[in-house]
Amino acid sequence: MLLVGSSFKSDFFEIAKQIEIFTTLFKELNMNYVDEINPAELMDTAIKNMLDDLDPYTKFLNEQDVEDFKINNAGEYSGIGSVVRSYKDKLLIVEPYQGSPADKAGLKAGDEIIKIGNIDLSNFKDDASDLLKGANNTSVDVTYLRQGQTKTATITRAAIEIDAVPYYHMVDAKTGYIVLSKFNAKATEQTEKALKDLKGQGAERLILDLRGNPGGLLSQAINVTNLFVPKGELIVTTKSQVKKFNREYWTKNKPVDTEIPLVVLINGRSASASEIVSGSLQDLDRAVIMGARSFGKGLVQRPMKLTYGTQLKVTISRYYTPSGRCIQSLDYWHRDNEGHAVRKTKFNDFTTKNGRRVQDGGGILPDVEITAQKTNALTRAMLAENVVFDYATDYYYSNELDNLEDFRFSDVDFNDFKEFVGQSEFNFETRSEKAIKEAMSVEETDIFGPEVREDYKKLLLAIDKNKILAMDKYKKEIEKNLEDEIIKRYFYREGLYDYYLKHDQSILVGTALLADGNKYRSILK
């Protein structure tokens, strides 16, 4: 007890000391700096920089962030009904929901909002997307750019509901398909409703699609899993430095169906709660997991209330699936020379309920891998830098398409995309390329002479050439992302899921596997 008390006093003194240093520094800076400064902005920057040294999920939430956090979990808000992406001088319409105020006002994916009301976004420092939110039946005027032309629209805000299950349908006479896109407060209720409805339509087997699901509420992940496993099963364990956060989470409710053959689809953007569901169903041998390795987020966050309506969303623990594995893939507490989190490459073996081998440390590895679902550095860079998005925008305004059944992304289209990439500002720099450039600085190439300089240039040209060839190597993965983005432009997200039922490789393979009972059972044994 004496040792614990001494340690606590030492930590408390160090915290108090550092707070006092920071307080006096902040005071002197505000009183004496040569120019006028904004204390709120300065403090916001200081807090965010401090948290950047931890993990990307530990964040300071100001009052507006807190409201956004609540909206995301509740699945309801009042606004224009569109996914938007905020940039320094504009807002980009990413996906207007079908029938939403934004859709009715004629806004399309790719429109760049440059002005909201009388506010020019080029001079607006805060998150401009907040200006689009407001009370039901109020109007907002927007000015936007579309294909080089300036347009205006008046949008009447309305109540927007964000469904956790945006789509479910029968794939064939005996196979049901449910898309679970996020784990908000509606996830379990809507998944259960879809499951019962599909069973009523004759579903004897099921595909649950968690691809692209970024996660959400832990409680919803446990309850969704509970729909398929009996009451009293251990689903997840959390372990922390703080004793009160060490918990075991067991199923508490009566399941809907513990016998229906189940395939769960995941990909590299399935994270957190999605990995709890897919990982626990895999560990319990309750479902065949199919697709590509998931994101690998094994950390749990909890919002802590601060003063003046702000909060700290802080990582409190790691979570472990029923077999005992933590699937966290990035080690934020050990970084490389560039300050990037180190990706785990050594995995430990665990066993499922039936004794199958599974591993930790790198997300959930599917039982059946689908090539088109895999991610790589090139496709991730294309998505991050909007190359796929921008090509889909140009494609939409250059091609008429009235019927979903008429859509085919051809080899000619893919070659057109490669030309588009070549003419764009997209610059994908591999690690090898970056290392060579750093190693061969101007000073060193001068020392080595003209022959080495020439070889150095040839090597970089060869790398550039191979990056173009890499587009052919990863053609399936790239085409999958292009098809998804293009179809949404014409037929919205519901049309995309309609297309999936007949053309998506994962759904086709999953349906065939479920129809072959012996093969399905052999994977789980």
Side-chain angles (χ1 to χ4, degrees):
M1 290 296 293
L2 179 62
L3 288 172
V4 172
S6 299
S7 175
F8 175 77
K9 286 180 180 178
S10 176
D11 289 346
F12 183 80
F13 171 75
E14 187 62 29
I15 292 169
K17 173 185 171 183
Q18 297 303 326
I19 289 175
E20 187 176 351
I21 291 171
F22 184 82
T23 303
T24 52
L25 180 149
F26 193 62
K27 177 183 175 183
E28 294 299 329
L29 186 64
N30 275 283
M31 290 176 61
N32 299 302
Y33 190 70
V34 62
D35 292 320
E36 185 177 349
I37 57 179
N38 186 319
E41 286 184 5
L42 201 63
M43 181 60 76
D44 194 62
T45 301
I47 291 172
K48 288 176 179 176
N49 281 325
M50 175 179 68
L51 298 179
D52 279 346
D53 284 339
L54 302 176
D55 63 82
Y57 313 110
T58 297
K59 292 182 178 180
F60 170 70
L61 306 178
N62 60 34
E63 291 172 279
Q64 185 56 53
D65 293 332
V66 171
E67 288 304 310
D68 292 341
F69 184 68
K70 289 178 181 177
I71 288 168
N72 188 52
N73 286 336
E76 297 177 358
Y77 73 101
S78 180
I80 69 168
S82 175
V83 178
V84 296
R85 192 174 294 144
S86 185
Y87 292 90
K88 186 177 180 181
D89 58 349
K90 67 187 178 187
L91 275 179
L92 183 68
I93 297 292
V94 174
E95 182 185 352
Y97 304 136
Q98 187 171 11
S100 68
D103 186 31
K104 291 176 181 177
L107 290 181
K108 303 287 185 183
D111 290 345
E112 300 177 6
I113 299 179
I114 57 175
K115 193 174 181 181
I116 300 176
N118 295 319
I119 299 175
D120 188 339
L121 300 190
S122 62
N123 300 316
F124 193 75
K125 293 183 179 181
D126 297 325
D127 187 351
S129 63
D130 293 335
L131 299 173
L132 298 175
K133 298 171 185 174
N136 291 352
N137 300 318
T138 59
S139 296
V140 57
D141 296 323
V142 297
T143 303
Y144 60 95
L145 291 176
R146 176 184 293 172
Q147 298 289 287
Q149 295 185 342
T150 302
K151 297 177 178 289
T152 60
T154 299
I155 310 173
T156 303
R157 301 182 182 97
I160 307 298
E161 291 193 16
I162 305 171
D163 288 326
V165 176
Y167 183 92
Y168 67 91
H169 208 278
M170 294 294 289
V171 182
D172 58 28
K174 293 186 178 181
T175 310
Y177 172 68
I178 299 174
V179 178
L180 178 53
S181 63
K182 58 190 65 195
F183 286 88
N184 61 23
K186 301 177 179 181
T188 305
E189 177 189 351
Q190 292 188 348
T191 305
E192 181 175 0
K193 179 185 175 183
L195 175 58
K196 289 179 176 178
D197 193 353
L198 290 171
K199 283 169 66 71
Q201 295 179 46
E204 297 177 5
R205 42 203 186 230
L206 184 72
I207 298 174
L208 179 64
D209 195 342
L210 298 179
R211 291 176 296 179
N213 186 322
L217 300 172
L218 174 62
S219 60
Q220 292 294 316
I222 295 162
N223 291 336
V224 166
T225 307
N226 196 174
L227 297 174
F228 304 101
V229 302
K231 180 180 178 181
E233 286 280 6
L234 177 64
I235 301 301
V236 65
T237 303
T238 58
K239 297 180 182 179
S240 172
Q241 297 267 19
V242 183
K243 188 176 180 180
K244 67 179 180 179
F245 296 140
N246 293 331
R247 292 190 59 185
E248 292 181 339
Y249 295 88
W250 303 73
T251 52
K252 296 180 179 179
N253 305 314
K254 182 181 177 181
V256 174
D257 194 328
T258 61
E259 299 295 330
I260 188 170
L262 178 63
V263 162
V264 177
L265 305 182
I266 60 172
N267 63 10
R269 290 178 290 117
S270 304
S272 192
S274 296
E275 295 172 300
I276 290 175
V277 173
S278 55
S280 60
L281 290 173
Q282 186 179 51
D283 284 359
L284 297 171
D285 297 300
R286 178 61 189 87
V288 171
I289 312 302
M290 186 177 289
R293 188 187 290 274
S294 64
F295 181 80
K297 179 178 180 288
L299 305 175
V300 180
Q301 288 73 44
R302 175 174 290 186
M304 304 291 185
K305 290 184 178 180
L306 305 176
T307 55
Y308 298 103
T310 62
Q311 291 184 5
L312 171 66
K313 184 163 74 76
V314 58
T315 298
I316 58 169
S317 60
R318 292 177 175 84
Y319 73 78
Y320 298 78
T321 65
S323 66
R325 54 183 173 147
C326 179
I327 51 83
Q328 177 65 27
S329 63
L330 290 173
D331 186 352
Y332 296 105
W333 297 271
H334 295 87
R335 297 176 181 260
D336 59 23
N337 294 333
E338 296 178 355
H340 299 137
V342 177
R343 185 173 293 277
K344 293 183 180 179
T345 54
K346 294 182 179 179
F347 306 134
N348 299 307
D349 290 344
F350 295 81
T351 55
T352 70
K353 200 171 186 177
N354 288 342
R356 296 188 299 140
R357 185 173 71 94
V358 290
Q359 292 183 316
D360 66 357
I364 303 298
L365 183 65
D367 302 307
V368 179
E369 292 192 85
I370 304 294
T371 302
Q373 293 295 334
K374 291 183 178 180
T375 58
N376 54 75
L378 177 60
T379 54
R380 284 195 296 270
M382 285 180 171
L383 291 169
E385 295 192 26
N386 284 349
V387 179
V388 170
F389 183 89
D390 291 341
Y391 177 80
T393 301
D394 285 359
Y395 185 99
Y396 175 76
Y397 290 108
S398 303
N399 297 272
E400 290 187 9
L401 184 61
D402 298 321
N403 192 332
L404 182 59
E405 293 300 319
D406 294 336
F407 175 72
R408 291 290 181 277
F409 194 79
S410 65
D411 290 341
V412 173
D413 292 326
F414 188 73
N415 288 330
D416 184 50
F417 172 70
K418 288 197 293 185
E419 287 184 20
F420 177 85
V421 173
Q423 294 170 7
S424 72
E425 296 180 0
F426 175 67
N427 183 23
F428 173 61
E429 188 174 63
T430 64
R431 288 187 177 183
S432 300
E433 188 177 10
K434 189 174 183 180
I436 292 169
K437 287 179 179 179
E438 288 177 353
M440 299 297 289
S441 64
V442 174
E443 183 179 343
E444 287 178 336
T445 52
D446 286 342
I447 293 172
F448 293 138
E451 289 185 5
V452 173
R453 280 201 304 271
E454 194 60 34
D455 288 342
Y456 161 68
K457 289 178 182 178
K458 287 179 181 178
L459 180 58
L460 288 179
L461 285 172
I463 290 173
D464 269 337
K465 184 178 179 181
N466 277 283
K467 281 193 287 188
I468 298 298
L469 295 175
M471 291 178 65
D472 290 322
K473 179 181 179 181
Y474 298 118
K475 181 179 177 181
K476 285 186 178 180
E477 296 94 315
I478 295 170
E479 278 189 342
K480 175 73 170 66
N481 287 289
L482 286 166
E483 287 176 351
D484 288 0
E485 195 60 55
I486 289 169
I487 290 171
K488 284 189 294 183
R489 303 303 174 95
Y490 294 93
F491 307 105
Y492 301 91
R493 189 162 290 271
E494 186 172 349
L496 176 62
Y497 294 132
D498 286 336
Y499 182 81
Y500 278 178
L501 294 183
K502 295 182 179 180
H503 302 281
D504 183 80
Q505 186 184 3
S506 296
I507 294 175
L508 296 176
V509 174
T511 303
L513 175 64
L514 288 168
D516 187 344
N518 290 331
K519 187 175 182 181
Y520 173 82
R521 287 187 291 272
S522 70
I523 292 175
L524 297 176
K525 287 184 179 180

